Structure formats: C-alpha cells, structure tokens
Amino acid sequence: MRLLRAARLPASVRDALALDRGERVLAHAPTRGGSFVVATTTALRLPSAEGGFTSVPWERVDQASWKDGWLHVQQTSGGPEHHVRLTEPGSVPETVRERVTATVVLTHHARLPGGGGVRIAGRRPAEGGGVRWSFVFEAGLDPDDPGLRAHAEQILQDLRRQTGL
C-alpha cells in the first residue's frame, strides 16, 4: 500500500517566508496566482501584491471561512480582508480553523444603550503572553463614538474582574 504525502513546500517559498526562530510550517497550499498560503505555528502567511508574504498572527484573524475554493480572512479591528483562491487546499482550511480557535480565551456579546451591541473578544497570541482585547461593534454603530467606546470599555473591565483576565 502506498501512502499519500503532501507536496513539500518549495525551498524558495520557505526562504521567502523568513520564519521566526521556533516557528514551524503546519500546512501550505498553492494559490491560483502561483504563490502559496502558509499556516505556521504563529501566523497565517498570505501572498502579497509585492510578491512576498503578509503575515497575519492568529490572534488577529477575526473571521476565516472556506467556500468554493476560496479562503476568506478578515483581520480584527477593521483590518484588511484577504481573499485567496487555493488550487489544492490540503489541510489549510482545517489548520486555519484550529489555530484561530486556539487563540480565543473569551468572547462576550453585550447590548449597548440605544440599541445595538458589541462583541468583546480576548485572544492570546500563539507564542504566549497577555490577552489582547478587541471590540467589534454591530453594523450601524460608530466604533469611534466616545460614549459607545466608554460603555464597551466598562463592560470589558467588568468581564476582566469577573474572569481574572
């Protein structure tokens, strides 16, 4: 019986990644444009327009989805969206899901005065360290409104007190 093996990541791509010390490649997939998407222990590496890679740490991925051959990634705090067509996805979609989920320490949805709500998320970087907090306000709410921001900050302080985070 012959075992199927995933294709190795080309050396030129591995060199272009400039991995940090201790960072390992977990999964990779070729893109329609001839580059690669690479999931490492600390970040998702996406092809950039300049020919290199954009590194998105796992705790900065707000949402990721896989549909019809496309990997869709939304960064936290209004960061950019990435849409990449994978020709042979391999284990990249599953690895992305597992890695993003592993960073989540706490999520909480709260109602805000005047209607609408905010999702508060606490995420821990893959390499460890303190919890990083983010607010995602529902559509139609201004995240720069000082009143809404103050209310969300108060909810966060209450959550931190209750959880010890």
Side-chain angles (χ1 to χ4, degrees):
M1 179 163 79
R2 197 169 147 233
L3 297 175
L4 294 176
R5 287 188 178 205
R8 293 196 70 152
L9 187 62
S12 60
V13 175
R14 183 176 283 281
D15 292 344
L17 289 171
L19 299 175
D20 292 331
R21 184 181 183 116
E23 185 177 12
R24 292 180 302 112
V25 171
L26 301 173
H28 64 276
T31 68
R32 186 171 184 174
S35 186
F36 282 82
V37 166
V38 182
T40 74
T41 50
T42 60
L44 180 62
R45 306 292 184 99
L46 300 162
S48 70
E50 297 81 35
F53 289 91
T54 298
S55 182
V56 182
W58 294 117
E59 73 276 7
R60 301 268 190 232
V61 176
D62 185 48
Q63 295 179 2
S65 62
W66 171 250
K67 185 175 182 184
D68 298 328
W70 287 86
L71 178 64
H72 304 279
V73 178
Q74 171 64 55
Q75 288 184 236
T76 57
S77 303
E81 291 184 25
H82 306 274
H83 307 281
V84 185
R85 177 96 164 132
L86 303 181
T87 58
E88 298 174 36
S91 63
V92 167
E94 294 85 3
T95 302
V96 169
R97 177 184 300 273
E98 183 274 328
R99 285 281 144 177
V100 170
T101 301
T103 68
V104 177
V105 176
L106 181 135
T107 60
H108 177 78
H109 186 271
R111 303 300 305 157
L112 294 169
V118 62
R119 180 173 45 95
I120 301 172
R123 313 272 297 274
R124 191 176 314 271
E127 61 274 10
V131 175
R132 296 180 182 166
W133 298 95
S134 65
F135 300 111
V136 179
F137 292 89
E138 289 181 356
L141 296 179
D142 179 4
D144 297 322
D145 180 305
L148 289 178
R149 184 67 107 180
H151 197 79
E153 290 283 352
Q154 183 58 54
I155 294 167
L156 172 58
Q157 292 308 315
D158 292 344
L159 281 171
R160 294 184 74 182
R161 199 172 17 263
Q162 293 168 12
T163 62
L165 297 170

